[in-house]
């Protein structure tokens, strides 16, 4: 198994690039059939979803897609703090719009629950959530996930947009923390 070291921690490959791309293709097929012909604005949650959003949106090929970004941070090291910081706010007019939120991973669920609340608060007509990864065993909130790429165990991971203290986002595959 391929291993890498980021800062002080070792990680082992757990989801290959091929498996990630297959999951994205499945999500795109499902989303295209449900969203085609609708006016949709995609809201990418930065930083983690930048690679997933790019790959999914290219795969989707929706003619009239609008794309915007919200930058949040809640993780410190390998722990979710539950304490959300908004670093770039939501300035778009979402009144009456169909919004699809693009997230890299739903862990405790606090982030996505807060984003959904904000988007609804701005008067969106319809709000859907697409997440590449979901850790069902870590969930602490009630949240409706419309499109899920892969369900994964409750372990800390990096790669494909996800980081450990700023490193690992550029990896093509996903790696799981090896406990010391
Ligand atoms: P939640 O609010 O606990 O659901 O966490 C959501 C955010 O924490 C995600 O958008 C990620 O950016 C980050 N996160 C959650 N799990 C992991 C992980 O295993 N590795 C790296 N970042 C993670
Ligand atoms: Mg994120």
């Amino acid at each position: 198994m391929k291993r890498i070291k980021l800062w002080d921690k070792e990680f082992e490959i757990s989801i290959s690039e091929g498996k990630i791309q297959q999951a994205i293709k499945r999500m795109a097929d499902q989303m295209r059939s449900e969203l085609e012909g609708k006016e949709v604005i995609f809201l990418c949650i930065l930083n983690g979803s930048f690679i997933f959003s790019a790959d999914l949106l290219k795969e989707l090929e929706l003619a009239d897609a609008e794309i915007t970004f919200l930058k949040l941070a809640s993780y410190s090291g390998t722990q979710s703090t539950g304490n959300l910081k908004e670093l770039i706010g939501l300035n778009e007019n979402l009144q009456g719009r169909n919004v699809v939120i693009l997230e890299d991973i739903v862990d405790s669920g606090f982030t996505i629950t807060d984003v959904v609340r904000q988007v609804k608060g701005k008067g969106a007509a319809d709000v859907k959530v697409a997440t590449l990864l979901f850790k069902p065993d870590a969930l602490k909130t009630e949240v409706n996930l419309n499109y899920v790429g892969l369900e994964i165990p409750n372990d800390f991971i990096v790669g494909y947009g996800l980081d450990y203290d700023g490193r690992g986002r550029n990896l093509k595959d996903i790696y799981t923390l090896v406990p010391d």
Side-chain angles (χ1 to χ4, degrees), residues 110-149:
F110 289 127
T111 304
I112 201 69
T113 303
D114 187 72
V115 175
V116 169
R117 186 187 52 75
Q118 280 195 53
V119 169
K120 285 187 175 157
K122 288 192 171 273
D126 186 54
V127 185
K128 289 190 164 52
V129 176
T131 184
L132 176 64
L133 303 160
F134 174 41
K135 294 180 185 171
D137 298 337
L139 196 66
K140 294 193 183 105
T141 57
E142 220 167 278
V143 58
N144 186 21
L145 305 176
N146 303 85
Y147 310 102
V148 176

Side-chain angles (χ1 to χ4, degrees), residues 19 30 43 51 56 69 75-76 87 104 118 131 138 159:
K19 219 175 150 191
Q30 188 192 349
L43 176 63
I51 296 183
L56 178 82
F69 303 89
Y75 248 69
S76 170
L87 308 170
D104 51 352
Q118 280 195 53
T131 184

Side-chain angles (χ1 to χ4, degrees), residues 6-170:
L6 299 173
W7 302 114
D8 56 330
K9 299 203 185 299
E10 292 240 14
F11 295 83
E12 193 171 71
I13 196 161
S14 52
I15 310 174
S16 68
E17 181 186 8
K19 219 175 150 191
I20 297 168
Q21 295 303 330
Q22 264 177 19
I24 290 174
K25 252 193 178 8
R26 278 198 305 271
M27 292 178 88
D29 289 343
Q30 188 192 349
M31 290 170 78
R32 200 180 305 107
S33 67
E34 293 181 25
L35 302 174
E36 209 144 45
K38 288 190 182 163
E39 283 190 9
V40 176
I41 181 162
F42 291 91
L43 176 63
C44 314
I45 311 301
L46 299 175
N47 293 329
S49 83
F50 78 112
I51 296 183
F52 164 59
S53 296
D55 282 351
L56 178 82
L57 289 164
K58 283 186 288 177
E59 189 68 39
L60 262 175
E61 293 190 287
L62 285 183
D64 300 320
E66 284 178 50
I67 301 164
T68 189
F69 303 89
L70 174 66
K71 182 170 160 94
L72 297 173
S74 80
Y75 248 69
S76 170
T78 62
Q79 287 302 313
S80 180
T81 61
N83 190 348
L84 276 187
K85 278 184 287 191
E86 188 168 298
L87 308 170
I88 299 178
L90 192 50
N91 304 313
E92 266 9 84
N93 179 4
L94 300 180
Q95 192 68 42
R97 311 227 33 205
N98 300 312
V99 181
V100 178
I101 300 167
L102 301 182
E103 180 58 303
D104 51 352
I105 186 165
V106 173
D107 183 81
S108 69
F110 289 127
T111 304
I112 201 69
T113 303
D114 187 72
V115 175
V116 169
R117 186 187 52 75
Q118 280 195 53
V119 169
K120 285 187 175 157
K122 288 192 171 273
D126 186 54
V127 185
K128 289 190 164 52
V129 176
T131 184
L132 176 64
L133 303 160
F134 174 41
K135 294 180 185 171
D137 298 337
L139 196 66
K140 294 193 183 105
T141 57
E142 220 167 278
V143 58
N144 186 21
L145 305 176
N146 303 85
Y147 310 102
V148 176
L150 297 162
E151 290 197 0
I152 60 167
N154 188 9
D155 298 318
F156 185 76
I157 58 167
V158 294
Y160 200 74
L162 293 128
D163 72 308
Y164 168 47
D165 277 351
R167 291 194 180 168
R169 292 194 198 275
N170 52 326

